[in-house]
Amino acid sequence: MGGATVLKLIAQRIALGVLLLLAVSVLIFAGTQILPGDVAQSILGQAATPQALENLRRELGLNDPAYIRYFRWLFGILQGDLGTALSNNRDIASALSGRLANTLFLAACAAVVSVPLAILLGLLAVRYRNGIIDKAISGFALASTSLPEFFIGYLLILVFAVKLQWFPASSTVYDSMGFLQRLQAVVLPASALTLVVLAHMMRMTRAAVLNVMQSAYIETAELKGLGPLKIIRRHAFPNAIAPIINVVMLNLAFLVVGVVVVEVIFVYPGMGQYLVDHVSKRDVPVVQAVGLIFAAVYITLNMVADIAAILANPRLRHPK
Amino acid sequence: MSIARIPIGALIGLILTAMFLIMAIFAPWLAPFGNGEIVGEVWAPMSAAHWLGTDNIGRDLLTRIIFGARTTIFIAVLATALSFTLGSVLGFTAAVVGGWFDTIMSRLVDLLMSIPTLIFGLVVLSVLPSTMLTLIMVMGILDSTRVYRLSRAVAVDINVMDFVEAARLRGEGTIWVIFREILPNALSPLISELGLRFIYAVLFLSALSFLGLGVQPPNADWGGMVKENKDGIVFGIGAALIPAAAIAALAISVNLVADWVLNRTTSLKGGRG
């Protein structure tokens, strides 16, 4: 079992991810072409004369077949050119960069809190299995998977921003803001996001550790007289870490998506709000670009989860 | 089977679910005021005349909730029905027919599932007209990927059983095998999935409407009502929380019922099938 095999496996995963991303870009592009109406029509409106439409179509290159437009779009993106927004004629890439940073900042804050908390609570649930803590945790998990994000979000605003006035109700951030101020602004949205993903992450951690604790080698370790701490350190933890890493990565991917609704609730200037605004304006180039970025982040995190699982679990290094 | 043997959680779930269904079906007779009728001041507090208060333009909130139940449940039920029909028929067919059909369908589903549902939903809704039909189609088709995976996995197991082999040997066609041999045996895992998919549809629809991309005014589902009333929150008016709580209550009660059904069907078979 040399390092070369592992490297080869990782290279395969990355290649697969890139391929998937390409396929997803086709899907996103195709998804916006299902209707006969086109971009020229939506710029000029229903009342446009056929001549004006024709001129604009020629200018935007809309008369070319779909696959040529797709490749033009794709190569533009690969060179960092996301196109221009229809609604205000601004460059999409420059409008997005600050918002992407904001979104990642918010998601990172939520992740820093939720990941350790979820693992800790998951382990607690295993330690006191079927006890009160375990029951409380699974009750909380049931509630939290059924609560819509906006219920949690507006409840937080009503209690902590309006009644107690600890935090601002809308999480506006701007460039000149200091780090601490920025942190204070994202406390509420980050808590909302944490509550949304916490339950799922916790439940999966619990399941992963329980699964390992019930395997035969743990029983063997117990029977040969190892102490519980040593069993967990030597036998349970190394085997549970791969599924836990997997769960954490999947939830980080979910965080990046869950951010869309949360950003709208807290009026946070991130990518999600930008996406929603432009979907209602039917600004197709922006929607395509932002949709592709979200999909790319999601696919990358899933890929990292795969790779981490391979690194953490030697058994996965031998494909069937 | 007596009522006393139903666990308390499932009983609460059943009662609440039934209540929401009655609300949805008999909305015009139950609602104290007409749908969309302006009856009082803006954001009036709860009172004897308006049990839940009034909304952002002075409509009775209880009336809106009752009619909102109708819209929410109607769309979610149809979307779930579509996703189940589409997903299970394609999943069974893929398992029975196999070959290129299976490969193409499965890779396509993998591809669709590699994009977050909400994101792809938004991309598609940016070009489609905002009608209820579009919503049902988009939600149903995107969600059918999950049903496809489940029903294909279940059907692959059933497909190798002796009674399927026997049906083939006596010369039955693919359609017969799918509907008369596979479907009846795959029903119980599918039914327990039904509740979860319905909850997912309710939450997805509410999120879309909350973002302003789902049900369009003057109609409103619960998600849309949250959007209408959200500006009151900063003034300490909790009207937006009431429809949000209704969504949560519906989701939790269906969840409780689905859990119970799942436990019952699996204990009958002596394990998780």
Side-chain angles (χ1 to χ4, degrees):
Chain A
M1 185 70 230
T5 333
V6 179
L7 280 183
K8 194 178 151 209
L9 266 177
I10 292 177
Q12 269 175 1
R13 285 301 148 107
I14 294 177
L16 204 68
V18 172
L19 205 66
L20 189 59
L21 200 53
L22 269 180
V24 163
S25 75
V26 174
L27 195 62
I28 287 182
F29 188 82
T32 53
Q33 312 284 325
I34 0 182
L35 274 199
D38 64 4
V39 170
Q41 189 89 57
S42 50
I43 294 179
L44 296 175
Q46 292 297 329
T49 61
Q51 186 55 43
L53 275 178
E54 186 49 42
N55 287 342
L56 190 65
R57 277 195 189 121
R58 197 174 309 129
E59 199 183 311
L60 295 173
L62 291 176
N63 287 328
D64 297 328
Y67 69 94
I68 291 186
R69 279 181 286 132
Y70 167 72
F71 282 115
R72 204 184 289 140
W73 177 67
L74 185 68
F75 286 120
I77 287 176
L78 291 179
Q79 291 160 6
D81 171 23
L82 298 177
T84 42
L86 295 180
S87 44
N88 55 10
N89 269 322
R90 291 232 201 101
D91 183 44
I92 299 176
S94 57
L96 264 183
S97 57
R99 288 174 173 270
L100 179 61
N102 284 347
T103 294
L104 292 179
F105 179 68
L106 175 59
C109 287
V112 165
V113 181
S114 60
V115 171
L117 196 62
I119 292 181
L120 187 74
L121 288 176
L123 289 175
L124 270 181
V126 175
R127 173 70 188 74
Y128 301 102
R129 191 146 72 94
N130 295 332
I132 294 175
I133 296 185
D134 193 17
K135 291 251 167 62
I137 286 176
S138 42
F140 168 71
L142 169 71
S144 127
T145 43
S146 313
L147 293 182
E149 287 101 334
F150 40 77
F151 184 71
I152 301 173
Y154 284 125
L155 200 62
L156 288 176
I157 293 184
L158 195 64
V159 175
F160 292 103
V162 179
K163 294 269 151 66
L164 297 172
Q165 306 211 326
W166 289 353
F167 304 101
S170 63
S171 313
T172 332
V173 291
Y174 36 88
D175 290 340
S176 58
M177 231 176 184
F179 181 71
L180 280 179
Q181 264 182 306
R182 206 174 265 257
L183 215 53
Q184 202 207 358
V186 301
V187 167
L188 287 186
S191 323
L193 269 178
T194 302
L195 287 174
V196 169
V197 292
L198 189 62
H200 187 232
M201 231 189 301
M202 205 166 67
R203 252 203 329 210
M204 301 284 272
T205 309
R206 177 180 177 275
V209 177
L210 262 188
N211 198 12
V212 170
M213 291 302 275
Q214 283 164 348
S215 32
Y217 53 81
I218 298 285
E219 206 177 339
T220 311
E222 262 168 32
L223 290 177
K224 80 183 180 195
L226 282 188
L229 258 178
K230 201 159 188 188
I231 292 180
I232 290 179
R233 193 165 54 87
R234 289 282 304 276
H235 296 279
F237 191 65
N239 286 300
I241 193 147
I244 292 178
I245 291 179
N246 214 355
V247 173
V248 168
M249 288 324 251
L250 291 182
N251 275 285
L252 291 187
F254 183 74
L255 260 184
V256 175
V257 181
V259 109
V260 174
V261 177
V262 171
E263 277 177 9
V264 174
I265 298 173
F266 290 92
V267 205
Y268 183 78
M271 286 228 301
Q273 209 184 33
Y274 191 67
L275 173 62
V276 171
D277 281 352
H278 288 82
V279 171
S280 27
K281 287 180 193 158
R282 301 187 175 267
D283 193 333
V284 174
V286 176
V287 175
Q288 285 173 335
V290 181
L292 189 62
I293 293 176
F294 267 116
V297 173
Y298 191 78
I299 290 172
T300 310
L301 285 173
N302 274 307
M303 191 179 75
V304 172
D306 265 6
I307 293 176
I310 292 176
L311 288 179
N313 189 348
R315 271 176 302 183
L316 293 179
R317 289 177 207 162
H318 301 281
K320 295 174 225 166
Chain B
M1 150 104 209
S2 69
I3 293 179
R5 286 189 48 212
I6 304 176
I8 184 79
L11 200 62
I12 297 174
L14 272 175
I15 293 173
L16 280 176
T17 310
M19 219 181 72
F20 281 121
L21 280 180
I22 291 172
M23 250 165 79
I25 294 168
F26 300 105
W29 293 277
L30 286 175
F33 299 95
N35 188 20
E37 190 183 340
I38 296 176
V39 291
E41 283 172 44
V42 170
W43 283 321
M46 297 180 186
S47 63
H50 307 289
W51 289 1
L52 295 177
T54 57
D55 75 353
N56 62 327
I57 56 172
R59 292 169 292 195
D60 181 55
L61 207 53
L62 180 63
T63 307
R64 295 283 284 169
I65 289 273
I66 293 174
F67 278 98
R70 198 170 224 202
T71 318
T72 303
I73 294 177
F74 176 72
I75 296 181
V77 163
L78 285 186
T80 315
L82 176 63
S83 90
F84 259 77
T85 321
L86 200 64
S88 57
V89 168
L90 288 177
F92 293 157
T93 314
V96 173
V97 175
W100 61 267
F101 182 79
D102 186 20
T103 314
I104 290 178
M105 284 307 300
S106 297
R107 290 296 85 76
L108 192 67
V109 165
D110 288 348
L111 179 61
L112 267 177
M113 286 182 82
S114 70
I115 312 178
T117 316
L118 179 64
I119 301 294
F120 194 61
L122 290 182
V123 168
V124 181
L125 286 176
S126 73
V127 293
L128 293 176
S130 344
T131 59
M132 281 196 195
L133 183 67
T134 322
L135 273 178
I136 294 169
M137 297 289 283
V138 169
M139 288 169 54
I141 291 174
L142 287 182
D143 207 41
S144 66
T145 52
R146 283 157 218 278
V147 183
Y148 170 86
R149 274 208 181 159
L150 177 71
S151 35
R152 184 184 169 278
V154 173
V156 162
D157 283 347
I158 300 174
N159 195 31
V160 293
M161 302 235 176
D162 290 340
F163 56 84
V164 179
E165 193 69 47
R168 284 223 179 79
L169 288 177
R170 60 170 198 266
E172 305 290 3
T174 309
I175 307 262
W176 171 285
V177 171
I178 290 174
F179 286 101
R180 300 299 291 272
E181 307 291 342
I182 308 257
L183 184 64
N185 290 291
L187 266 184
S188 75
L190 279 181
I191 283 175
S192 51
E193 181 74 5
L194 192 67
L196 299 182
R197 303 304 347 141
F198 174 73
I199 297 170
Y200 189 80
V202 169
L203 291 176
F204 190 44
L205 172 69
S206 309
L208 285 178
S209 294
F210 170 70
L211 297 175
L213 306 164
V215 179
Q216 298 299 316
N219 279 329
D221 65 328
W222 291 338
M225 292 175 62
V226 176
K227 180 188 165 67
E228 288 171 357
N229 292 299
K230 68 178 180 181
D231 298 327
I233 293 282
V234 286
F235 306 115
I237 294 159
L241 287 177
I242 295 174
I247 297 165
L250 176 63
I252 291 178
S253 40
V254 175
N255 223 328
L256 287 170
V257 178
D259 260 8
W260 171 61
V261 172
L262 182 71
N263 286 336
R264 262 177 58 84
T265 50
T266 49
S267 67
L268 281 181
K269 288 191 297 182
R272 286 186 72 108

